[in-house]
Amino acid sequence: MDQVKFPYLEGNDLLLKSYYPERNGVFPVDEDGFIEDRSIKCKIVKFIQSSNFSSVMEVECATKLGQTDRFVLKLFDPRYASQLREDENAKPWDLAQETAFQDFVGSGEAFKFFRYLEERAERLDSGDSIECDELDPVDHDDAQRQVSLDKICVDMYDRECDTYEYLKNLQGEDIPRLIAKVQLSMDLHAADGDRHGFFEIRGVLLELVEGFPLSKLAQSAPREHWQGICDQAVGAIQDLGDLGVLNRDVRPSNFLVFPSPSTSETPYRVVVLGFAQCELQTSIDKFSRHEDWVEAKYEADEEGEIGLTMQYFLKRDHDFDLIYQRSSRYMECAPDEWC
């Protein structure tokens, strides 16, 4: 199996494209308020992780007046989303798949298949019945499966951006600032036909917050602060829920902990990361009834994903008794014996 060269190595240069107005005053802009040449030049300083659904790296970008600054670049690249590929029964990305995908796009069949997937998703969302064989992706070949992965990544990118925009008043405080929505072109070319955006990797450029993940709490902060830090993380999830956010990817690694300024009442602060699997209460199609929203929030138990998880690991590995009890939020959907 011929492997494809991994593009996100330390020291590699990337040319990002951005087609949205520049609102943060970070990059030079043209007379229309867009980033000059719609481009952001950056260099990979450190590859952080190829997470379940995205590739995350620290990058250095040229900013205003010839200066440079560091940010976090999160790319929803289906080629290297390890957990996603495993979930969708896709083999690791290799040269054979790359060739098949290019041919599929060049033939025009990739766009037709993408539209089929969109229409199927719309029918599912509307509650229409679908034949069983339409739901089963087992028979998809490598090229079709790559298109399916591409659609999933596009959807996650959209949810990430929508959630950051929805929570714009929290940016720079409880969540990182969204600096720019970006695209990165794959070094691939279809022989014929329209590319239809299939070779464009979507992503977000975020404020760099120096800290450690909540999953590394025991190794990174004094024991006497563990309770307070975990309480902050649980509180952050509760606050997002109160604002109308349902996050289906709550885990300790998606919380970043960093020392507070010396003037702060608490020695550490917590910010929330990772919104690619969020849903908003304002989604009329899915949560037209308040009862639907409450039921979804109750079943997700986002605060328990932090409180119970940290409680278990801190006790098991460090004999620390973290105090956590589920709040009364959304408990109207709980079984009677729990109330």
Side-chain angles (χ1 to χ4, degrees):
M1 179 173 61
D2 294 325
Q3 295 295 326
V4 178
K5 185 177 180 181
F6 186 63
Y8 306 130
L9 298 175
E10 181 178 324
N12 282 6
D13 293 316
L14 302 176
L15 181 62
L16 307 175
K17 305 297 287 186
S18 182
Y19 302 100
Y20 297 88
E22 217 290 55
R23 301 172 180 170
N24 292 287
V26 174
F27 300 105
V29 299
D30 60 21
E31 60 183 12
D32 297 318
F34 291 83
I35 296 173
E36 283 186 356
D37 300 324
R38 307 296 194 270
S39 299
I40 302 172
K41 297 178 181 179
C42 64
K43 182 183 291 292
I44 300 174
V45 176
K46 179 174 64 175
F47 185 77
I48 299 174
Q49 63 177 350
S50 183
S51 66
N52 294 349
F53 307 108
S54 61
S55 296
V56 183
M57 60 211 82
E58 182 180 333
V59 296
E60 187 174 76
C61 302
T63 57
K64 282 186 172 181
L65 304 176
Q67 299 174 337
T68 60
D69 204 350
R70 292 191 177 186
F71 305 94
V72 169
L73 175 62
K74 182 177 184 179
L75 294 174
F76 294 94
D77 189 339
R79 299 173 298 172
Y80 305 107
S82 55
Q83 186 62 54
L84 177 61
R85 299 191 72 85
E86 182 178 329
D87 291 346
E88 299 297 315
N89 298 309
K91 297 176 291 187
W93 184 252
D94 59 22
L95 187 58
Q97 291 185 79
E98 181 176 292
T99 301
F101 182 55
Q102 290 181 85
D103 293 343
F104 195 44
V105 173
S107 71
E109 292 301 314
F111 178 69
K112 294 178 183 177
F113 189 67
F114 189 90
R115 286 296 303 138
Y116 156 73
L117 293 175
E118 286 188 322
E119 291 166 2
R120 187 184 71 175
E122 290 170 1
R123 296 203 306 274
L124 281 170
D125 287 342
S126 65
D128 291 349
S129 61
I130 293 180
E131 296 296 329
C132 292
D133 59 345
E134 286 190 276
L135 292 171
D136 189 358
V138 171
D139 295 331
H140 292 174
D141 61 27
D142 287 344
Q144 289 174 320
R145 189 168 284 110
Q146 187 61 28
V147 173
S148 178
L149 293 171
D150 186 81
K151 182 184 184 307
I152 293 171
C153 284
V154 169
D155 290 344
M156 289 193 294
Y157 163 80
D158 287 340
R159 286 195 292 268
E160 181 104 358
C161 292
D162 288 347
T163 306
Y164 268 106
E165 293 289 350
Y166 184 77
L167 299 174
K168 58 185 177 182
N169 291 337
L170 301 185
Q171 291 186 30
E173 295 293 333
D174 301 306
I175 64 175
R177 278 196 306 151
L178 173 62
I179 304 300
K181 305 173 188 177
V182 298
Q183 293 181 14
L184 174 70
S185 293
M186 295 185 194
D187 188 19
L188 305 178
H189 303 282
D192 301 292
D194 198 331
R195 295 160 61 98
H196 286 295
F198 283 113
F199 300 151
E200 303 298 322
I201 302 300
R202 295 160 179 81
V204 290
L205 195 66
L206 301 170
E207 171 190 12
L208 174 64
V209 180
E210 300 281 2
F212 58 88
L214 184 62
S215 54
K216 301 292 185 183
L217 175 63
Q219 297 89 345
S220 308
R223 188 182 181 96
E224 62 266 25
H225 297 304
W226 294 357
Q227 181 71 54
I229 291 171
C230 290
D231 288 346
Q232 279 194 63
V234 170
I237 282 296
Q238 292 172 341
D239 291 343
L240 293 185
D242 293 343
L243 290 171
V245 177
L246 167 62
N247 191 342
R248 299 190 184 276
D249 188 29
V250 176
R251 45 197 164 96
S253 58
N254 275 348
F255 290 75
L256 201 63
V257 184
F258 61 98
S260 296
S262 57
T263 55
S264 175
E265 295 180 359
T266 57
Y268 290 92
R269 288 195 57 199
V270 175
V271 295
V272 187
L273 312 171
F275 302 116
Q277 296 188 63
C278 282
E279 297 174 72
L280 303 178
Q281 190 176 6
T282 52
S283 175
I284 302 300
D285 292 340
K286 190 154 190 178
F287 303 115
S288 57
R289 300 185 311 152
H290 177 70
E291 292 82 358
D292 296 332
W293 172 254
V294 171
E295 182 177 358
K297 290 289 288 183
Y298 168 75
E299 291 178 351
D301 188 18
E302 298 144 282
E303 62 178 76
E305 292 293 337
I306 294 302
L308 293 175
T309 300
M310 294 303 296
Q311 189 178 63
Y312 171 77
F313 283 110
L314 290 177
K315 179 63 176 178
R316 188 194 69 176
D317 298 339
H318 305 282
D319 196 29
F320 181 83
D321 292 314
L322 181 72
I323 300 171
Y324 167 73
Q325 184 173 358
R326 183 171 183 171
S327 72
S328 60
R329 289 172 171 82
Y330 319 110
M331 289 301 285
E332 54 261 49
C333 285
D336 291 340
E337 62 270 20
W338 287 22
C339 300

